[in-house]
Amino acid sequence: MAQAENVIGTALELCCSSPVTGFYRDGFCQTGAYDTGMHVVCAQVTAEFLEFTKSRGNDLSTPHPEYNFPGLRPGDRWCLCAARWQEALEAGFAPPVILTATHARALEVCSLDDLKQHALINGE
């Protein structure tokens, strides 16, 4: 299997291991045939984004121990669906992204310019 690439054309880097993110729960924003939501944008969530996505029916802040999900807090990193990140961008609530950990397939939904404008620099 070929190594996945990020949006800047280098090897896909780890998004987050605490909490463990990714469609495959391996810490990477990998994708595949069963990932119909394309969980490929590595973002550092904000309070505003968490409220926005909750208002759209995807509550990421409430813990679900039955799924080993602790609930996200502002500052946590998480692999978001590309379409949700794009929706948040258009509504003014896009959280910052980590380009090196955002899968290249994000470019099917999001523009590289938009992702770069919301990129964290040196993890901050």
Side-chain angles (χ1 to χ4, degrees):
M1 187 164 119
Q3 185 174 17
E5 286 190 357
N6 59 39
V7 294
I8 57 174
T10 60
L12 185 67
E13 294 181 8
L14 181 75
C15 180
C16 187
S17 59
S18 182
V20 179
T21 190
F23 180 77
Y24 298 106
R25 291 299 189 264
D26 61 0
F28 291 85
C29 296
Q30 301 270 14
T31 190
Y34 296 107
D35 180 15
T36 57
M38 275 194 5
H39 296 77
V40 294
V41 176
C42 179
Q44 185 168 303
V45 298
T46 62
E48 296 81 10
F49 172 78
L50 290 171
E51 282 301 315
F52 171 78
T53 195
K54 184 176 182 178
S55 77
R56 296 298 195 267
N58 187 19
D59 181 1
L60 296 175
S61 55
T62 300
H64 288 278
E66 67 275 22
Y67 299 114
N68 199 27
F69 179 68
L72 300 180
R73 296 185 186 113
D76 286 342
R77 293 185 177 183
W78 197 250
C79 294
L80 301 178
C81 294
R84 177 51 48 91
W85 188 87
Q86 183 65 34
E87 179 185 19
L89 173 72
E90 293 168 8
F93 298 105
V97 299
I98 297 83
L99 296 175
T100 56
T102 297
H103 196 284
R105 287 204 56 202
L107 299 176
E108 294 174 20
V109 177
C110 311
S111 80
L112 183 56
D113 285 343
D114 286 339
L115 292 168
K116 283 182 174 180
Q117 287 177 15
H118 289 81
L120 285 177
I121 306 301
N122 298 324
E124 300 175 8

